[in-house]
Amino acid sequence: MWRLRLDDRALLHLIRTWLKAGVLETDGQVIHPVTGTPQGGTVSPILAHVYLHYALDGWFEEVVKAHCEKAAYLCRYADDFVCAFQTKRDAERFYSVLGKRLGRFGLELAAEKTRMLRFSRCRQDAKGRFDFLGFTFCWGTNRAGTAQLQRRTSRKKLRSAIANFTAWIKENRNRPLKDLCKERNAKLRGYDHYYGVRGNYEQLAAFFYQADRLLFKWLNRRSQRKSYTGQSFRDLLQHFKIERPRITEKPRGKLAVSCREAVCESESLRRARCGSSARRDLCGGGRVTGRPTAMTLTILCYNTGRRRVRYEP
């Protein structure tokens, strides 16, 4: 499989060495697996990603989509993936042959994590949700009352994060406050950067509340006497500038393309200018209010012979 893309013998030899690397167990015994990549190896995710690219991604793009009646979509991260189909018939046909396809490559589906469900904004119920990469995906309504796809921290991941934080603060509660709060802030920032998506503030606030509660609890157990009251603990948080829950996902604002920002080969468009009050587009003065759906947005300028203007956000 690697020989199809690589012609470097030294790199291929290194990959074979990685595949044959042993696994050191906790009792000091070294186990050499016959198949698969070494568990916990640094290169294992990369090798698994390339393997699944041939086993699943390429097959889905070239074969599955060609036989689907309507649209189909695949989203994969490592060995976790979600497939979306516009019709139930396409989903059932794909689900019936997926196990056979993976079996040809020595893989199998996890039965407890594999299911088929209806996920539609027209039918919003408790069954129409799923967990993927630590998030629970479901349909809801925004402030305007329209249907919107929502992402929430999954309950399993939230409980696991709280348990891990409890074990950490219990073990490190006797460290100096400056070092303790510095490492705590690093943990909270990492949690913010992953789960700080739009619409997930309530789950973020729930985790930060538990983190503050656990810190207050275990700091007061460092000695027989109670170290902090409610007010003194809030002063401590303010003094060390403890991280607060925040949304880190960048908002996708409405697109407003001005004549100076657009790139076009036409001399007339390069000399165009926008209005003084409203920022107008290049297609007759109307505002562009659509949202970009890819890295490069293509705008059709109807008044210039449908010339394409590329806008790099």
Side-chain angles (χ1 to χ4, degrees):
M1 185 179 297
W2 284 89
R3 296 190 187 97
L4 298 176
R5 295 293 185 91
L6 296 178
D7 195 23
D8 191 342
R9 295 183 179 181
L11 182 57
L12 292 174
H13 175 71
L14 181 60
I15 294 173
R16 285 193 294 267
T17 304
W18 273 327
L19 291 174
K20 296 178 181 179
V23 179
L24 180 62
E25 299 290 344
T26 56
D27 56 358
Q29 184 181 3
V30 179
I31 299 178
H32 294 275
V34 180
T35 59
T37 58
Q39 183 70 23
T42 55
V43 76
S44 296
I46 300 176
L47 297 179
H49 178 74
V50 175
Y51 191 73
L52 284 174
H53 172 75
Y54 286 92
L56 183 63
D57 299 351
W59 172 67
F60 189 89
E61 291 293 331
E62 298 175 4
V63 179
V64 175
K65 285 189 174 181
H67 290 80
C68 286
E69 298 176 355
K70 293 189 178 181
Y73 173 76
L74 169 66
C75 179
R76 182 178 66 84
Y77 183 84
D79 58 347
D80 296 329
F81 61 95
V82 172
C83 298
F85 298 88
Q86 194 170 356
T87 64
K88 183 179 180 181
R89 181 180 177 183
D90 289 339
E92 292 176 343
R93 292 172 57 190
F94 172 77
Y95 188 70
S96 62
V97 300
L98 178 60
K100 300 178 182 178
R101 172 65 181 182
L102 296 180
R104 293 178 54 186
F105 292 85
L107 304 173
E108 60 181 10
L109 291 171
E112 67 278 3
K113 298 180 180 179
T114 305
R115 64 189 178 118
M116 188 172 62
L117 58 89
R118 180 178 179 181
F119 190 73
S120 173
R121 60 182 178 182
C122 301
R123 183 181 178 183
Q124 302 178 16
D125 53 14
K127 296 182 180 180
R129 60 178 60 197
F130 62 93
D131 293 345
F132 184 58
L133 301 180
F135 289 94
T136 297
F137 291 79
C138 59
W139 283 101
T141 55
N142 56 16
R143 296 179 180 179
T146 58
Q148 183 181 40
L149 179 63
Q150 297 180 346
R151 294 166 292 174
R152 302 285 189 269
T153 307
S154 66
R155 295 181 180 179
K156 180 180 178 181
K157 294 298 182 180
L158 180 60
R159 290 194 297 265
S160 177
I162 294 175
N164 292 336
F165 188 86
T166 302
W168 174 82
I169 193 64
K170 184 178 179 180
E171 182 180 356
N172 295 273
R173 66 182 184 273
N174 291 319
R175 294 175 56 184
L177 284 178
K178 183 178 180 181
D179 298 337
L180 181 66
C181 293
K182 181 178 180 180
E183 187 171 350
R184 180 182 185 270
N185 277 341
K187 291 180 178 293
L188 296 181
R189 280 195 300 270
Y191 193 87
D192 260 342
H193 290 165
Y194 187 79
Y195 290 104
V197 299
R198 296 188 302 274
N200 195 34
Y201 185 82
E202 292 183 2
Q203 298 293 85
L204 282 179
F207 174 76
F208 276 70
Y209 170 78
Q210 294 296 332
D212 291 343
R213 184 185 65 83
L214 292 170
L215 180 63
F216 178 76
K217 172 184 176 180
W218 289 105
L219 285 182
N220 282 327
R221 293 192 178 185
R222 296 200 298 181
S223 62
Q224 296 180 353
R225 298 180 58 184
K226 191 174 181 180
S227 302
Y228 297 94
T229 61
Q231 182 60 42
S232 60
F233 180 72
R234 287 190 290 270
D235 295 338
L236 174 71
L237 298 181
Q238 185 176 4
H239 175 74
F240 287 103
K241 299 179 180 180
I242 298 297
E243 291 283 335
R244 307 315 306 162
R246 58 193 177 92
I247 301 299
T248 57
E249 183 183 14
K250 295 182 179 180
R252 295 177 298 177
K254 292 185 178 180
L255 179 64
V257 182
S258 66
C259 301
R260 295 187 180 94
E261 294 171 348
V263 178
C264 185
E265 297 178 356
S266 174
E267 182 66 23
S268 59
L269 289 179
R270 286 202 298 266
R271 294 180 179 179
R273 294 295 181 266
C274 299
S276 58
S277 58
R279 304 181 64 184
R280 302 178 181 275
D281 69 347
L282 305 178
C283 306
R287 296 184 181 181
V288 179
T289 57
R291 295 177 181 270
T293 58
M295 293 300 294
T296 301
L297 177 66
T298 300
I299 305 174
L300 296 180
C301 298
Y302 297 98
N303 57 350
T304 58
R306 298 180 181 268
R307 183 183 299 275
R308 292 188 176 184
V309 180
R310 291 191 175 276
Y311 171 73
E312 303 284 348

